[in-house]
């Protein structure tokens, strides 16, 4: 049973427009939610996170929104740039075993020039 | 280098063979993690070390899998009697402190791609 789901395997967005990547979760005990970015043949790199006590966190072009009642979070990238083309993973952790991340399957983002 | 280093980057082996995968974490990082990523899926937690000891090995799929970190730095993931289902990318990550793993400060290596024929 997948606790973290990314239902869109891929997303194509025009350069300069907004990219919205979605993630749903089932475990209400998750405390932190994170987004990682992965280029081919590289390990994932941390992008942005949000605590469950917040509903929004912004870092430059990246904003993560958390809707706890819907158990849904989203990553907004604006404006989208060619270098943003990568696989984006949503991950979550709980307060007890906060070192253990539960990951979604990833969404491949393609930014078209 | 300054990042997490994993060797080998690629390993092809035959079913039933023994495999070792090595991880050299960022200097000074006390916490080390192994994850496994199968094709089309996100990484799955295998084991977490705090210093030399395995603080949580609940993610290891069975007793064919074992990991050590004898001096609190380099870690080796060992897989005995490999099976075709073990084929995956094995990712190692480290963090400065354990709690930082839950808030994003995990630094991953490039992974070791294991193929069992």
């Amino acid at each position: 049973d997948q606790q973290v789901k990314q239902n869109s395997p891929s997303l194509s967005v025009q350069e300069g427009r907004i990219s919205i990547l979605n993630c749903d979760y089932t475990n209400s005990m998750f405390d932190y939610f994170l987004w990682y970015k992965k280029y081919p043949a590289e390990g994932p790199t941390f992008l942005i996170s949000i605590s469950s006590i917040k509903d929004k966190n912004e870092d430059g072009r990246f904003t993560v929104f958390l809707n706890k009642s819907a158990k849904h979070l989203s990553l907004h990238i604006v404006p989208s740039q060619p270098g943003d083309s990568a696989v984006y993973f949503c991950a979550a952790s709980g307060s007890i075993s906060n070192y253990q991340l539960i990951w979604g399957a990833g969404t491949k983002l393609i930014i078209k020039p | 280098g300054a990042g997490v280093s994993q060797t080998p980057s690629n390993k092809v082996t035959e079913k039933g063979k023994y495999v070792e995968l090595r991880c050299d974490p960022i200097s000074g990082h006390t916490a080390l993690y192994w994850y496994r990523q199968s094709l089309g899926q996100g990484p799955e937690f295998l084991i977490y070390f705090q210093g030399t000891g395995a603080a949580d090995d609940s993610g290891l799929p069975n007793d064919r899998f074992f990991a050590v970190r004898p001096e609190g730095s380099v870690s080796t993931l060992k897989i005995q009697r490999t099976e075709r289902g073990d084929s995956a990318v094995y990712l190692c990550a480290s963090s400065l402190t354990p709690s930082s793993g839950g808030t994003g400060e995990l630094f991953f290596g490039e992974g070791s791609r294991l193929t069992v024929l």
Side-chain angles (χ1 to χ4, degrees), chain A residues 6 21 33-39 43-49 75 86-92 101 103 106-107, chain B residues 33 35 43 93-95 100-108:
Chain A
Q6 293 177 257
L21 297 105
F33 302 89
L34 309 96
W35 286 93
Y36 278 77
K37 176 179 178 179
K38 185 182 183 301
Y39 293 117
T45 55
F46 170 72
L47 192 57
I48 192 169
S49 67
L75 173 68
V87 177
Y88 289 79
F89 290 98
C90 170
L101 295 180
W103 299 69
T107 296
Chain B
Y33 317 76
Y35 282 80
S94 68
S95 64
S100 63
T103 53
E105 300 301 330
L106 276 185
F107 297 85
F108 282 87

Side-chain angles (χ1 to χ4, degrees), chain A residues 68-99:
Chain A
K68 287 183 67 178
S69 61
K71 294 191 177 68
H72 176 83
L73 65 156
S74 61
L75 173 68
H76 292 211
I77 307 172
V78 56
S80 301
Q81 300 175 354
D84 296 331
S85 294
V87 177
Y88 289 79
F89 290 98
C90 170
S93 69
S95 59
I96 295 177
S97 57
N98 60 1
Y99 49 81

Side-chain angles (χ1 to χ4, degrees), chain B residues 55-72:
Chain B
D56 184 348
D57 64 357
S58 63
L60 295 178
N62 52 60
D63 61 6
R64 295 187 298 105
F65 289 75
F66 190 71
V68 296
R69 195 186 184 198
E71 297 178 357

Side-chain angles (χ1 to χ4, degrees), chain A:
Chain A
D1 181 34
Q2 278 188 296
Q3 297 189 64
V4 177
K5 296 180 182 179
Q6 293 177 257
N7 292 317
S8 298
S10 66
L11 175 68
S12 187
V13 174
Q14 200 72 35
E15 181 180 358
R17 307 293 286 269
I18 184 170
S19 294
I20 300 176
L21 297 105
N22 294 302
C23 177
D24 297 295
Y25 63 95
T26 58
N27 189 340
S28 58
M29 300 301 290
F30 285 143
D31 262 7
Y32 279 99
F33 302 89
L34 309 96
W35 286 93
Y36 278 77
K37 176 179 178 179
K38 185 182 183 301
Y39 293 117
E42 294 185 11
T45 55
F46 170 72
L47 192 57
I48 192 169
S49 67
I50 187 167
S51 164
S52 60
I53 62 173
K54 296 186 176 181
D55 55 19
K56 178 182 174 181
N57 187 25
E58 189 173 353
D59 183 2
R61 296 184 300 113
F62 303 92
T63 303
V64 56
F65 295 92
L66 175 62
N67 182 334
K68 287 183 67 178
S69 61
K71 294 191 177 68
H72 176 83
L73 65 156
S74 61
L75 173 68
H76 292 211
I77 307 172
V78 56
S80 301
Q81 300 175 354
D84 296 331
S85 294
V87 177
Y88 289 79
F89 290 98
C90 170
S93 69
S95 59
I96 295 177
S97 57
N98 60 1
Y99 49 81
Q100 185 178 140
L101 295 180
I102 310 299
W103 299 69
T107 296
K108 183 176 183 178
L109 177 64
I110 301 165
I111 305 300
K112 298 179 293 186

Side-chain angles (χ1 to χ4, degrees), chain B residues 13-19 36 62-65 79-88 90 114-117:
Chain B
T13 191
E14 293 180 341
K15 180 182 175 218
K17 298 290 188 181
Y18 170 79
V19 166
R36 175 170 75 173
N62 52 60
D63 61 6
R64 295 187 298 105
F65 289 75
I79 310 174
Q80 297 177 322
R81 305 183 304 279
T82 51
E83 299 177 357
R84 292 193 180 88
D86 299 335
S87 296
Y90 289 80
L114 175 66
T115 302
V116 182
L117 301 177

